[in-house]
Amino acid sequence: MKRYTEDHEWIDLAGDIATVGITAHAQEQLGDITFVELPEVGRTLAKGDAFAVVESVKAASDVYAPLDGEVTEVNAALDENPQLVNEAAEEGGWFAKIKLSDAAAVDALMDKAAYDAFLAKS
C-alpha cells in the first residue's frame, strides 16, 4: 500500500515497516541528485522531522518523516550511487525503512489518485 505526503515523500507499508523515499515528481524538481545524507539506524522520528537531506545540482532539500517511528534500515546503496534517486525514485531509490509507532496512521496520507490531484492543483 503506497501513500504520499504533501511534502512529496512516498511511503510503502508492509506490516508495520514503512519504506520511505521521495516521489518521482520531487526528484524531477531537484534535478541531478549528487548526495544523500541518510538518518542513523535506531533514530526515533516524529512526523514532520527532517530525517534526511538530498543535495542536487539545483539545491539541498530536507526530507521529512511522514509518520512517527524508528529507523530500522537505510539504503546504503545511496552512499555510492545517489543517482539511484533519479533513476528509480519510487523503487530502488528509497531512503529508509521505518517501524511505525502507529501503522494505522498511514490512512491519513494520500493515495496515488489523491496525490496526482494534489500535483495537478500545484
Side-chain angles (χ1 to χ4, degrees), residues 10-81:
W10 60 264
I11 182 170
D12 193 8
L13 188 64
D16 62 351
I17 303 293
T19 303
V20 179
I22 63 171
T23 65
H25 171 79
Q27 70 82 24
E28 287 171 11
Q29 298 299 307
L30 287 167
D32 292 334
I33 306 295
T34 58
F35 179 76
V36 178
E37 181 181 316
L38 297 170
E40 290 184 26
V41 171
R43 181 176 168 191
T44 300
L45 301 172
K47 181 180 177 181
D49 284 352
F51 77 96
V53 177
V54 180
E55 293 183 17
S56 71
V57 294
K58 293 182 178 177
S61 298
D62 288 331
V63 179
Y64 301 99
L67 297 170
D68 298 345
E70 180 182 333
V71 178
T72 60
E73 184 179 345
V74 296
N75 188 355
L78 295 179
D79 287 337
E80 293 185 20
N81 188 9

